[in-house]
Amino acid sequence: MPRRFNTAGPCVPANHYMIPALERLPEGPGLVDQRAYFVVHAPRQTGKTTALRALARELTAGGQYAALHFTCEAAQAAGDDYAQAQLAILQEIRTRAITALPAALQPPVWPGAPDASLLREALTLWSRVCPRPLVLFFDEIDAVRGESLISVLRQLRAGFPERETGDFPWSVTLCGLRDVRDYKIMSGSNATRLGTASPFNVKLESLRLGDFTPDEVAELYGQHTTDTGQQFAPGAVEHAYELTGGQPWLVNALAREVVEKLAVPAPEPITVDHLDAAKERFILARVTHLDSLAARLAEPRVRRVVGPLLAGDPLTLEPYDDDLVYVRDLGLIAPMAPVRVANPIYREVIARVLSSSIQESVTADPRSFVRSDGGFDFPKVLDEFADWWMENGDFLIKTGFYHEAAPQLILMGYLQRVVNGGGFVEREYAVGSGRIDLHIRWPYTTPDGSRRVQREALEIKTWRPTKADPLRQGLKQLDRYLDRLQLDTGTLAIFDQRPAAPAIDERTAITTTTSPAGRRITLLRG
């Protein structure tokens, strides 16, 4: 069976295109050789399980270690019943060992009845009888909660000194969504962090499995070219990296959509247009990975970070604020400062999900904004939006749960509805910028058969209480955006959110003005 791009479950080298495990976790073998206890963490569906399973296989196949990867998910149902949690983990170890290890390396019969130290006793017994040093990868460790998690970590710490005499696993890796210090200890309604990493203060390193680099995206896509002969057109691989930010699931999903769903034939190269079409298809389909991220947007701690991000407001959080760390560990925002959405596809998903109710309430017919020559009648869109805003704006602002970004989401939702698959709305926003920039692309064919792409640029700003009119700053920012897009004109939308602002029907108007660079700018106030 030919290899394919994988978007479900761990990758298998014979079946899937993949980056080798040692390239993704190059520090792993060295830490194992040092007898290290260490942590691997990363957002979901970044390849943690694939990398650790492959590393375990390679370590065992090398003949020096008995290495086993297993999941702790079965212990989640045990809650604070640490005896049942230990039994669930040990049962999973035995099940995985039967399929992954030679008989001589598999664990013996576990010791007697479960008690507070069963896990330590069982791992001690296995370490003593195993002919090779034991290396264990505890995947999904953060599925274990409450007293059960405390018990597991304490037993691993207690056995740590005994590894020197062969009486405990040589090396242990804890793998999860978050670093060990950020594991939540849940007890009823109370939630606290481990903080200093105690009771697992024996860890040597915390490794964050990163996204693919541009070279790794090229390597992965190059495997498809090698297997099938299908080329990627100039700029296509770079565009895939730009859209995905190297997020492994997105990199694979984008290519899979082109190859399997759009079914671009192998003799035909994969182009930037194919990738854009694929991105739109799986965003609209709300595939599982994107849907699970979207569900997080309703969480108060996510809203606390994403709300200011959407509004362009300063993020008034401490650098180690737990909400910021949490949203970063989910993969929604980039791992490094400045705070920003992780990639353009996530930006699109966030905006569409949060503005979906707006799109449902827009009754305008998208076909009415297509000109006779096939182009997009953007001035008409602005006129009709202004009328719709005067009628519905006050109500919609009060009903949205991202209040600080309500006008931005309302305008974005309206535009997304009227574009309706005929074009693309690309969004850029970042904390502290005070704005959202929109780039609308409308590909069309003229009556004479010419292929063209119409582009429109729009900047959204809000007038906050105690602040000056943002017009002057907005025009300067819009000039810079238009310079980057190489456009001669654009639109600035300013929404007045001051409590003492005039009534919505009094303040809403469309006029023109001139930017500092001398460009003619359409000004929408609402």
Side-chain angles (χ1 to χ4, degrees), residues 14-54:
N15 300 333
H16 306 124
Y17 306 124
M18 61 178 288
I19 303 299
L22 294 184
E23 292 184 22
R24 302 218 60 207
L25 271 178
E27 309 95 333
L31 288 171
V32 170
D33 288 341
Q34 294 178 50
R35 302 184 181 185
Y37 281 33
F38 61 101
V39 173
V40 174
H41 67 104
R44 297 203 181 281
Q45 294 188 293
T46 53
K48 300 187 297 296
T49 298
T50 293
L52 293 178
R53 287 182 68 171

Side-chain angles (χ1 to χ4, degrees), residues 209-479:
L209 193 68
D211 293 325
F212 289 155
T213 65
D215 287 344
E216 286 174 329
V217 175
E219 179 184 346
L220 190 77
Y221 285 6
Q223 293 173 20
H224 174 73
T225 299
T226 299
D227 283 10
T228 67
Q230 186 168 43
Q231 300 289 325
F232 286 80
V237 174
E238 294 79 4
H239 188 58
Y241 179 78
E242 178 186 349
L243 290 174
T244 64
Q247 203 284 335
W249 186 90
L250 291 178
V251 171
N252 278 279
L254 197 63
R256 178 178 178 268
E257 193 74 24
V258 171
V259 172
E260 298 184 19
K261 299 300 182 70
L262 291 176
V264 177
E268 183 180 337
I270 294 172
T271 66
V272 167
D273 287 343
H274 289 138
L275 295 170
D276 282 337
K279 177 203 74 171
E280 286 295 309
R281 282 170 57 94
F282 72 71
I283 287 176
L284 289 173
R286 289 282 293 273
V287 290
T288 303
H289 172 76
L290 300 181
D291 221 21
S292 62
L293 280 178
R296 300 282 191 173
L297 297 174
E299 296 180 13
R301 60 198 312 201
V302 175
R303 287 166 51 189
R304 193 164 163 242
V305 175
V306 173
L309 191 61
L310 287 170
D313 292 339
L315 188 63
T316 54
L317 300 173
E318 295 297 324
Y320 193 75
D321 185 279
D322 191 58
D323 290 347
L324 182 63
V325 175
Y326 175 67
V327 177
R328 182 169 281 134
D329 285 344
L330 289 176
L332 277 169
I333 61 175
M336 305 296 291
V339 177
R340 62 198 186 279
V341 178
N343 56 67
I345 290 177
Y346 286 179
R347 283 205 304 261
E348 189 76 12
V349 170
I350 290 170
R352 291 198 192 188
V353 168
L354 295 179
S355 64
S356 58
S357 61
I358 305 300
Q359 295 178 47
E360 295 295 331
S361 66
V362 176
T363 58
D365 183 357
R367 293 170 297 182
S368 68
F369 301 107
V370 180
R371 301 192 308 254
S372 59
D373 66 350
F376 188 54
D377 196 338
F378 193 57
K380 183 179 179 181
V381 170
L382 295 177
D383 284 339
E384 295 206 11
F385 171 78
D387 292 340
W388 183 80
W389 169 256
M390 285 190 286
E391 185 175 347
N392 301 284
D394 281 336
F395 170 75
L396 292 172
I397 284 177
K398 292 174 183 176
T399 56
F401 64 96
Y402 271 73
H403 301 291
E404 63 272 74
Q408 295 93 324
L409 292 169
I410 290 168
L411 179 51
M412 286 192 289
Y414 189 93
L415 288 173
Q416 193 66 55
R417 173 74 179 99
V418 299
V419 166
N420 195 37
F424 305 93
V425 181
E426 299 166 352
R427 302 158 174 87
E428 296 183 21
Y429 36 79
V431 161
S433 68
R435 71 187 195 276
I436 294 178
D437 294 326
L438 305 182
H439 180 205
I440 300 165
R441 294 187 297 113
W442 182 268
Y444 68 102
T445 303
T446 64
D448 65 3
S450 301
R451 188 68 177 163
R452 296 181 182 175
V453 178
Q454 179 184 343
R455 299 191 298 140
E456 306 285 350
L458 186 150
E459 181 175 295
I460 311 174
K461 293 187 72 68
T462 54
W463 191 348
R464 301 290 190 191
T466 74
K467 300 293 185 181
D469 186 344
L471 174 62
R472 183 177 178 183
Q473 180 191 33
L475 290 172
K476 288 182 179 179
Q477 292 172 332
L478 183 55
D479 264 335

Side-chain angles (χ1 to χ4, degrees), residues 34-247:
Q34 294 178 50
R35 302 184 181 185
Y37 281 33
F38 61 101
V39 173
V40 174
H41 67 104
R44 297 203 181 281
Q45 294 188 293
T46 53
K48 300 187 297 296
T49 298
T50 293
L52 293 178
R53 287 182 68 171
L55 181 56
R57 284 196 302 268
E58 291 185 27
L59 290 171
T60 300
Q64 183 177 355
Y65 301 110
L68 184 70
H69 165 274
F70 56 92
T71 177
C72 300
E73 284 182 291
Q76 185 171 20
D80 284 330
D81 187 342
Y82 55 83
Q84 289 303 313
Q86 291 178 83
L87 285 174
I89 291 172
L90 290 173
Q91 181 57 49
E92 180 63 23
I93 287 175
R94 180 171 300 285
T95 300
R96 283 290 302 146
I98 290 172
T99 59
L101 293 176
L105 304 181
Q106 292 173 16
V109 175
W110 300 130
D115 57 26
S117 59
L118 174 62
L119 182 66
R120 180 183 177 186
E121 293 171 5
L123 297 184
T124 297
L125 178 61
W126 189 11
S127 299
R128 286 173 176 168
V129 302
C130 187
R132 300 183 193 174
L134 196 57
V135 178
L136 299 179
F137 297 95
F138 287 70
D139 203 353
E140 303 286 353
I141 184 64
D142 41 6
V144 189
R145 297 298 180 91
E147 293 301 320
S148 297
L149 177 58
I150 293 289
S151 174
V152 169
L153 297 181
R154 282 178 175 162
Q155 290 181 72
L156 293 175
R157 182 185 64 182
F160 175 79
E162 309 306 321
R163 78 201 197 291
E164 298 291 342
T165 58
D167 292 327
F168 210 65
W170 173 282
S171 177
V172 167
T173 302
L174 303 183
C175 179
L177 184 68
R178 315 191 69 185
D179 195 355
V180 64
R181 64 171 175 253
D182 301 314
Y183 292 170
K184 286 293 183 180
I185 309 302
M186 306 296 294
S187 179
S189 60
N190 181 45
T192 58
R193 287 172 46 239
L194 290 178
T196 62
S198 178
F200 194 68
N201 54 8
V202 294
K203 72 165 185 176
L204 182 63
E205 295 280 357
S206 286
L207 307 179
R208 190 184 196 277
L209 193 68
D211 293 325
F212 289 155
T213 65
D215 287 344
E216 286 174 329
V217 175
E219 179 184 346
L220 190 77
Y221 285 6
Q223 293 173 20
H224 174 73
T225 299
T226 299
D227 283 10
T228 67
Q230 186 168 43
Q231 300 289 325
F232 286 80
V237 174
E238 294 79 4
H239 188 58
Y241 179 78
E242 178 186 349
L243 290 174
T244 64
Q247 203 284 335

Side-chain angles (χ1 to χ4, degrees), residues 474-495:
L475 290 172
K476 288 182 179 179
Q477 292 172 332
L478 183 55
D479 264 335
R480 291 195 292 269
Y481 188 48
L482 294 172
D483 284 342
R484 184 149 57 88
L485 296 179
Q486 298 182 319
L487 291 175
D488 296 327
T489 187
T491 298
L492 175 63
I494 297 177
F495 292 95

